[in-house]
Every structure is written in structure tokens, then in C-alpha cells.
Amino acid sequence: MNKKSNNWQPDTWQQKTCLQMPKYNNKEQLDEILNFLQNMPPLVFAGESRTLKEHLANAGAGNAFILQGGDCAESFAEFHPKNIRDTFRLILQMAVILTFAARMPVIKIGRMAGQFAKPRSDDNESKNGICLPSYRGDIINSLEFDKDARKPDPNRILQAYNQATSTLNLLRSFSRGGYADLHRVKQWILDFAADSPEGEKYLDIAKRIEHALAFLTAVGVDMSSSNIVKETDFFTSHEALLLPYEQALTRTDSTTGDWYDVSAHFLWIGDRTRQVDGAHVEFLRGIKNPIGIKCGPTISKDELLKLLDILNPENDAGRITLITRFGAGNVEKHLPKLVEAVNKEDRIVTWISDPMHGNTVKSSSGYKTRKFTDIMQELKEFFQIMRASGGIPAGIHLEMTGQNVTECTGGADKITDKDLSLRYHTHCDPRLNARQSIELAFQVAEAIKK
Ligand code: PEP
Ligand code: CO
């Protein structure tokens, strides 16, 4: 039985203006694929999304910390079990560092198993006098600069669903099948990060955890029956951008009768598609998953309050995570008024920082990049200004990979503009590599302790 919620149905977004929508030429083929997808198994269960929502509410109240991270855009080309494993274990490592510092649970959410569709600033891209539609993520078209490759292809929707399914299958095995057992904390270190100062600092924490586990075993705590030590919770998330895909994966939960988007545990709305009367807000209004709202420099406090009215009319804790992304040096200008407005009206939200999307620059070598120092600067501003404004800094949202890429400059490896071409593999925005991510986690750990 479907609950009727304020004239909402999974397709009511279609009556609204939908920005960032690809123009499919073959509508019949698109419909056929979406109909097929409607009968495919869910990727996640509603009950899991409800659990995540409780965790997010905890974090919003200052009792847990959120680590959300992964690719800017997952791609068909980089799909490999090794890549999934390496990002997964990097998140585990960072979570250990943060748990140790914060002395509270770290909620792990991957930008994984569905993060395919990308919003673009321009509909078209020009190169050498040729103008083609922009790349919109592998679920829509191909990165290759070619007329046919850039045409939106409905078949890609199925390929993305299939890739998300097997990615999630592997993530579930990693988190439940023994890989994430805390007894293996030393083994999670990535080869190229082992012989570094951060690697040593990590091994120091790992040793202390081993001693603690050995002590507990010695005093008689039975570790073999403890899921807390042997398993971990890992959640998935992506931007709810390609609404036909999200609609096809929106189902009613048999337990509650509520609608859930079962493509991921957590969905967020991007900074370019958060118009209060737009299609994306309409879609997210009706699903019960916990959701995120990206808040960039252009959001006003009135707009934010209106979004909260529409997306969380019951002021439900854990339902809304506000993901701020203002850029280094801009937090003071934008954050306090939002936090004060939210607090004044007693709105319950969870605040986290995305220090990536406000800090993208073009390097002298032509690559899109981000400076490690800018990323850290925004995070430090976020912690400090959030606290000074009466809010709780509850987590971080990163574009990162377990691979040894050269996409962001700086960090302990001192990656320069000239190095970017060495291993620049991202399909969209530049990601922190494993060493940079670990280094960041240690610095965030310090900021949490303050
Ligand atoms: C993203 O998270 O990849 C993204 C496009 O972010 P934003 O909507 O904040 O620009
Ligand atoms: Co991005």
C-alpha cells in the first residue's frame, strides 16, 4: 500500500522545470529501459536508509562524525574490484584516524555504487572549433570528444545500474565478510602510503588498537562473537540528478508504506538543481531517505528555510544534511547567517563540509585541480566558524580515491602543476589521492579535538 503524501508520486517531478536533463533522441528506447529497470531488484533496503538516518541525526547532535567520500564521477573505464577495494579501505583507515581523535562513531558513506550523473556549467563543450554536447557522466554519455560518443545513450542507464549493483555487492562483502575486521587494521594501509610519515602515524594508532583488542580478549571479552569488531556499516550515496533513473528505482517500503529511492541509502541535491520550484526538489520531497542539500555561495537564508519547509516539513532529525561548499576564505561570509537562521527557527539539520567544490581552479598546465592547502583551509574555517555560530560541525564530504593519482596539488608528496599529467585519471573533478586523504584525516582529527 502506498501512502499518499501531498499529491506526490514518483513522477510528479515531470511537471516541473528539470535542469541538467540530457536530451535523449530515442524516447521509445529510453522508456523501454526505464520500464525494465522498474522491475529490477533494489540496491538498498528502506530499513538500511532508516538506520543511516538515525546515525545522521546522532551526528547532527554532536554524537557521531560523518565521513562521506569517493569519486566525483564513477566511470565504466575505472570499474575494477581493486579500485573499489582501495577506496573502501582508505575510508576505513580515515575512519580509524577520526574515531581515535573524536572518540565517537564515524559514519562511513561512499560516493560509490551510483555516483554517475554530473551537472555541468555549460551544455556544450568546444575544442578546436568543434562544439559538442558536454559530458554528463557515464550513465548518460561518453567522455570521448566525439559526436556519437557525446549523444545521450539510454543503454548506459542499465550499464550504470549493473555496475552499481556489483560495486555494492563487493562493498557489502568487504564490510561484512571479514575484510573490515578491526583485527586487520594494520593490513588496510595502502602500499604506497606505508613508508611515509602519515603511514607511520597510522601504524601507531593501529598498534594501539591491537593492544586494546588483545587486552579485551585477555580479560575474557569474546571477540569472535562481536560484530562490532568484525564488521562495519557502510552506506552508499550519490547526487539525485538523473531523475528518470531515480524514479525507476523508487519503490514503496512494505513495512511502512513509505516511498524510498532504493538506488542508494542517501541522495543529495546539487548546488545547480536546488530551485525550490524545480523538478529535483519535487522528487526528493516525496522519498523518505535521508537527503543532502549542497549549499554554495548563492544560497540565501530564505531559500534555505523554504527548502527545509518543503523537504522536511516535520522537522525530522537526520532527514536533512546540509553540505556546505563555499571555498577557502568564503566561509565567514556565507555560513554564520545560515546557521543563525536555522537555529533561530529551531530547524534540525546536520551540517557537513564539502571542501572540494568551492576550490576548483584551472592549473597553468590546463588541468582542473584543487590545492590541498585550500581544501584544508576551508575545513578549518568550517570547524571554527560553525562552532562560533552555534552549530555543530558533523562531518566531511570529499572527492577522493584509494589510487595514487595526481589530480590535486600539494600534500606531503608536494604534487605540482607540472605533475598533474602523470596520473590524471578522473572523469570529472580532481580527487585527493590516498596519501593526501590520510594526511587530511589527521589534520581533521586535530580540528575535531579542538
Ligand atoms: C558534486 O558533488 O560532484 C557536485 C557537482 O557538487 P555541487 O553540486 O556542490 O557543485
Ligand atoms: Co565533483
Side-chain angles (χ1 to χ4, degrees):
M1 241 254 305
N2 300 341
K3 274 191 196 161
K4 290 244 165 4
S5 62
N6 303 324
N7 300 321
W8 184 93
Q9 288 292 315
D11 64 355
T12 46
W13 63 269
Q14 294 182 15
Q15 294 149 24
K16 306 271 183 170
T17 306
C18 188
L19 298 185
Q20 299 285 339
M21 204 31 191
K23 294 183 181 74
Y24 289 98
N25 290 329
N26 194 339
K27 282 272 182 323
E28 259 169 45
Q29 193 195 7
L30 176 67
D31 287 344
E32 212 172 284
I33 281 171
L34 294 173
N35 285 337
F36 180 77
L37 195 58
Q38 249 173 16
N39 295 308
M40 287 292 100
L43 279 110
V44 304
F45 291 130
E48 296 172 328
S49 289
R50 280 193 288 276
T51 303
L52 175 60
K53 187 167 148 257
E54 279 169 31
H55 291 329
L56 296 173
N58 262 337
N63 301 319
F65 193 78
I66 299 158
L67 172 59
Q68 184 175 21
D71 288 328
C72 176
E74 288 176 286
S75 70
F76 297 164
E78 282 207 344
F79 178 45
H80 194 283
K82 189 177 164 304
N83 290 346
I84 300 165
R85 180 200 60 198
D86 288 350
T87 299
F88 176 76
R89 69 169 156 172
L90 177 60
I91 292 176
L92 289 185
Q93 269 188 274
M94 294 168 75
V96 161
I97 295 165
L98 295 168
T99 309
F100 221 74
R103 304 254 183 253
M104 55 187 174
V106 172
I107 302 152
K108 298 173 277 295
I109 311 175
R111 278 179 70 116
M112 295 171 95
Q115 174 50 29
F116 288 104
K118 297 312 300 173
R120 302 318 303 254
S121 305
D122 296 309
D123 281 344
N124 297 304
E125 182 185 352
S126 295
K127 241 187 221 173
N128 308 324
I130 301 169
C131 179
L132 295 178
S134 293
Y135 171 62
R136 290 185 174 276
D138 275 9
I139 194 169
I140 292 162
N141 58 4
S142 164
L143 182 59
E144 197 191 335
F145 195 74
D146 169 271
K147 191 163 163 272
D148 282 333
R150 285 291 170 93
K151 275 191 194 139
D153 176 359
N155 284 306
R156 290 178 161 266
I157 293 178
L158 271 193
Q159 192 176 343
Y161 167 79
N162 287 331
Q163 182 169 321
T165 308
S166 43
T167 300
L168 187 53
N169 183 49
L170 191 59
L171 289 170
R172 286 189 190 279
S173 304
F174 279 141
S175 47
R176 298 275 175 236
Y179 191 90
D181 189 329
L182 262 182
H183 290 95
R184 300 184 75 258
V185 61
K186 261 191 197 158
Q187 276 128 291
W188 298 337
I189 197 152
L190 292 144
D191 309 333
F192 50 85
D195 300 323
S196 62
E198 317 84 72
E200 273 167 35
K201 257 164 87 180
Y202 175 76
L203 284 174
D204 182 51
I205 294 181
K207 256 185 237 155
R208 291 204 252 166
I209 292 172
E210 278 183 347
H211 289 166
L213 292 175
F215 173 78
L216 289 175
T217 309
V219 297
V221 178
D222 181 8
M223 293 291 170
S224 61
S225 65
S226 165
N227 287 348
I228 294 174
V229 171
K230 282 165 46 188
E231 299 181 355
T232 193
D233 279 336
F234 193 88
F235 299 96
T236 60
S237 69
H238 61 259
E239 178 173 346
L241 184 66
L242 186 62
L243 296 182
Y245 175 78
E246 304 303 338
Q247 180 189 329
L249 286 167
T250 295
R251 316 277 166 83
T252 44
D253 168 33
S254 53
T255 315
T256 59
D258 288 324
W259 289 102
Y260 278 84
D261 182 345
V262 293
S263 70
H265 300 107
F266 178 94
L267 285 310
W268 76 83
I269 194 162
D271 200 43
R272 292 169 190 75
T273 49
R274 54 168 167 68
Q275 300 71 27
V276 287
D277 54 354
H280 294 81
V281 170
E282 172 60 20
F283 175 75
L284 285 172
R285 170 172 86 87
I287 57 165
K288 281 281 183 180
N289 307 55
I291 59 176
I293 306 171
K294 287 287 197 97
C295 301
T298 58
I299 198 164
S300 70
K301 68 179 193 332
D302 293 338
E303 236 177 324
L304 176 57
L305 291 174
K306 235 181 254 163
L307 282 171
L308 296 177
D309 283 340
I310 300 169
L311 293 170
N312 193 17
E314 281 155 29
N315 205 19
D316 210 0
R319 159 75 171 167
I320 303 280
T321 298
L322 298 177
I323 310 168
T324 67
R325 29 91 79 223
F326 300 124
N330 294 328
V331 179
E332 178 77 66
K333 188 166 154 212
H334 301 289
L335 186 66
K337 56 176 188 268
L338 299 181
V339 179
E340 283 153 23
V342 162
N343 286 355
K344 194 166 156 224
E345 299 224 354
D346 290 324
R347 306 300 179 102
I348 305 172
V349 301
T350 300
W351 293 101
I352 71 174
S353 168
D354 162 4
M356 313 301 292
H357 288 91
N359 292 309
T360 317
V361 291
K362 198 152 200 164
S363 82
S364 52
S365 49
Y367 287 98
K368 238 205 250 184
T369 189
R370 289 160 175 157
K371 287 187 189 155
F372 185 80
T373 45
D374 287 344
I375 293 168
M376 275 323 309
Q377 179 61 32
E378 177 160 0
L379 283 174
K380 284 174 188 163
E381 288 173 27
F382 172 75
F383 275 90
Q384 195 226 317
I385 295 166
M386 179 62 73
R387 284 172 177 149
S389 314
I392 292 173
I396 55 179
H397 176 118
L398 305 172
E399 290 185 342
M400 46 172 269
T401 170
Q403 301 308 299
N404 191 12
V405 299
T406 52
E407 298 172 4
C408 292
T409 57
D413 277 336
K414 300 196 176 60
I415 295 170
T416 65
D417 280 350
K418 270 192 276 168
D419 299 327
L420 293 175
S421 64
L422 295 174
R423 291 178 300 281
Y424 195 94
H425 299 313
T426 182
H427 275 228
C428 196
D429 291 338
R431 301 162 293 181
L432 294 164
N433 66 23
R435 271 194 78 179
Q436 289 168 328
S437 304
I438 296 288
E439 195 178 342
L440 177 145
F442 276 113
Q443 293 195 31
V444 169
E446 288 306 312
I448 294 176
K449 280 193 260 181
K450 273 183 203 154

